[in-house]
């Protein structure tokens, strides 16, 4: 059972290993590996309350997640990247190759 967390420091989404433990120590539910290392260097302890909230949120996310096979059948509705349309694929470059 693996949880996805969002780093409080840099906002990146990361997936700690199962059991919340890296090869060199415990994983943090609030910081990614990079930030965890930085905080450790600075001597800043992990915020316990935020860690508990992050862990609960990750568990809730996991429970609400769609099974992978069902997710694959759904259309990708993420707005982050424009969909590749038929028009986009048949741009000037493909027209040129047809002429030549
Ligand atoms: Zn981070």
């Amino acid at each position: 059972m693996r949880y996805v967390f969002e780093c409080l420091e840099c906002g990146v989404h990361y997936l700690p290993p199962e059991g919340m433990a890296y090869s060199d120590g415990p994983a943090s539910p609030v910081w990614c590996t990079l930030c965890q290392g930085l905080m450790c260097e600075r001597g800043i302890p992990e915020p316990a309350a935020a860690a508990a909230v992050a862990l609960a949120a990750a568990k809730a996310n996991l429970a609400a997640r769609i099974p992978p096979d069902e997710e694959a059948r759904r259309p990708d509705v993420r707005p982050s990247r424009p969909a590749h349309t038929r028009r986009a694929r048949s741009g000037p470059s493909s027209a040129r190759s047809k002429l030549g």
Side-chain angles (χ1 to χ4, degrees), residues 7 9-10 12 32 35:
C7 179
E9 196 62 19
C10 67
V12 76
C32 66
C35 295

Side-chain angles (χ1 to χ4, degrees), residues 77-94:
V77 291
R78 285 173 296 178
S80 57
R81 203 181 289 176
H84 284 280
T85 59
R86 186 182 280 258
R87 187 187 297 208
R89 273 198 293 275
S90 60
S93 57
S94 67

Side-chain angles (χ1 to χ4, degrees), residues 47-61:
V53 168
L55 203 60
K59 281 178 185 177
N61 273 345

Side-chain angles (χ1 to χ4, degrees), residues 33-64:
T33 49
L34 276 177
C35 295
Q36 193 182 5
L38 287 173
M39 294 303 178
C40 190
E41 273 175 31
R42 292 179 202 164
I44 299 169
E46 181 185 283
V53 168
L55 203 60
K59 281 178 185 177
N61 273 345
L62 199 75

